[in-house]
């Protein structure tokens, strides 16, 4: 009986490993690239492996916003850009340090102008010994602290970092002439709430501050890090949803409720999530992030 039980348990373990392996491979299967002409000289690239990219065709070159995860996936983006214009990418703006936004920088030659918030550069440098390091020979060449107004290849751009949100080094890219915002992973439609990286000093309160800042811009199109594009009304709706959740958790925490009690009240599971297929620890849920923040303040 014991031998049979061990055999069954062993087979179950193998099945779990096979399932995780299949999930990991599925996550790496690229979706076809889709290039959308958002407005005038502004384009958006979905698909491939990694985040959504954007590019703006300037007077003599191309300004790129974010890159994909892999070298091959970003090379495919470069090929798509070549179908639109013979001009080369000479400037890249990085919205934050996650590998699915920065690792594709390896597809570009040296000498590129790479712009990011100063904490983003620090996080990219700190990733050198980690599981998914940023290309250390393609670190940002220009950084800013809170806001930056620049003209890159004839394109008017404003960069904003109102607070730590998704990470400590988020950048909002605003094109005032076209009324377009690139929100990076501060804006996503592939989940109802948002992801906060605690290991990168992200903050739910900071996310709310950034969302309010984005809504306050004279813009009508908001391009997401993952998922579909949003309107200002979409961003306002998401802001209201997360702000309401934040306030509810703050109130319940002040009443002395535990994290599990709060999760139950919100209809969320209290059990720990399964490990990620890639071996990384599961990310904290938004409820867990908010609870940690408000409990620290109380």
């Amino acid at each position: 009986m014991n031998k049979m039980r061990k055999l069954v348990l062993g087979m179950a373990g193998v099945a779990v490993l096979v399932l995780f392996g299949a999930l990991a491979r599925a996550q790496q299967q690229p979706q076809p690239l889709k290039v959308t002409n958002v407005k005038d000289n502004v384009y958006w690239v979905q698909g491939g492996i990694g985040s959504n990219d954007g590019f703006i065709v300037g007077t003599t070159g191309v300004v790129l916003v974010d890159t994909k995860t892999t070298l091959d996936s970003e090379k495919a983006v470069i090929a798509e850009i070549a179908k639109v214009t013979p001009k080369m990418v000479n400037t890249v703006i990085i919205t934050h340090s996650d590998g699915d936004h920065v690792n594709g920088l390896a597809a570009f030659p040296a000498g590129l102008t790479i712009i990011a918030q100063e904490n983003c550069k620090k996080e990219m440098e700190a990733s050198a010994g980690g599981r998914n390091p940023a290309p250390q020979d393609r670190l940002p060449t220009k950084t800013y602290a809170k806001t930056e107004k620049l003209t890159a290849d004839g394109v008017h751009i404003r960069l904003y970092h109102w607070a730590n949100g998704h990470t400590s080094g988020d950048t909002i890219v605003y094109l005032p002439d076209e009324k377009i915002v690139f929100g990076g992973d501060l804006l996503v439609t592939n989940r109802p709430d948002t992801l906060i990286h605690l290991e990168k000093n992200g903050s739910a309160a900071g996310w709310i501050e950034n969302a309010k800042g984005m809504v306050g811009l004279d813009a009508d199109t908001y391009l997401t890090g993952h998922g579909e594009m949003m309107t200002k009304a979409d961003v306002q709706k998401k802001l209201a949803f997360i702000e309401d959740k934040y306030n509810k958790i703050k109130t319940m925490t002040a009443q002395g409720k535990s994290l599990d009690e709060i999760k139950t009240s919100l209809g969320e599971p209290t059990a720990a999530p399964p490990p990620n297929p890639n071996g990384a620890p599961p990310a904290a849920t938004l409820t867990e992030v908010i609870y940690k923040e408000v409990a620290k303040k109380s």
Side-chain angles (χ1 to χ4, degrees), residues 60 68 71-72 75 84-85 88 112 118 122 134 142 156 182 187 189 191 194 208 223 279-280 284:
T60 62
K68 301 292 183 182
L71 184 69
D72 287 344
K75 283 183 176 179
V84 174
T85 176
M88 304 295 288
L112 202 66
E118 58 190 17
K122 292 175 184 176
K142 177 181 175 63
H156 298 138
F182 290 90
L187 296 179
T189 65
R191 57 186 296 160
T194 192
I208 291 171
L223 303 177

Side-chain angles (χ1 to χ4, degrees), residues 34-50:
K34 176 186 176 184
V35 179
T36 302
N37 181 202
V38 182
K39 185 178 183 181
D40 300 333
N41 59 339
V42 183
Y43 296 81
W44 196 39
V45 187
Q46 297 169 280
I49 299 175

Side-chain angles (χ1 to χ4, degrees), residues 9-174:
L9 290 174
M11 291 175 65
V14 170
V16 169
L17 289 174
V18 169
L19 176 61
F20 281 165
L23 288 171
R25 288 190 297 273
Q27 288 179 341
Q28 289 299 308
Q29 291 302 311
Q31 296 296 314
L33 291 178
K34 176 186 176 184
V35 179
T36 302
N37 181 202
V38 182
K39 185 178 183 181
D40 300 333
N41 59 339
V42 183
Y43 296 81
W44 196 39
V45 187
Q46 297 169 280
I49 299 175
S51 68
N52 296 325
D53 287 3
F55 66 93
I56 309 105
V57 180
T59 52
T60 62
V62 175
V63 179
L64 184 69
V65 179
D66 282 335
T67 68
K68 301 292 183 182
T69 309
T70 66
L71 184 69
D72 287 344
S73 200
E74 190 58 32
K75 283 183 176 179
V77 172
I78 294 171
E80 290 297 325
I81 294 173
K83 295 176 184 178
V84 174
T85 176
K87 300 172 185 178
M88 304 295 288
V89 173
N90 53 24
T91 302
V92 180
I93 302 172
I94 297 298
T95 62
H96 64 286
S97 66
D98 288 356
D100 59 336
H101 292 251
V102 306
N103 285 4
L105 285 167
F108 295 94
L112 202 66
T113 297
I114 303 171
I115 305 171
Q117 204 274 340
E118 58 190 17
N119 291 331
C120 175
K121 181 177 182 179
K122 292 175 184 176
E123 290 171 357
M124 289 173 69
E125 291 171 333
S127 74
R131 180 186 291 108
N132 190 25
Q136 297 300 297
D137 57 351
R138 296 293 185 276
L139 294 173
T141 60
K142 177 181 175 63
T143 62
Y144 75 100
K146 285 296 183 183
T147 185
E148 183 81 10
K149 184 177 181 180
L150 64 142
T151 300
D153 221 323
V155 180
H156 298 138
I157 303 170
R158 294 177 189 170
L159 307 178
Y160 296 99
H161 171 81
W162 284 294
N164 292 15
H166 179 64
T167 68
S168 74
D170 299 319
T171 285
I172 290 96
V173 182
Y174 173 48

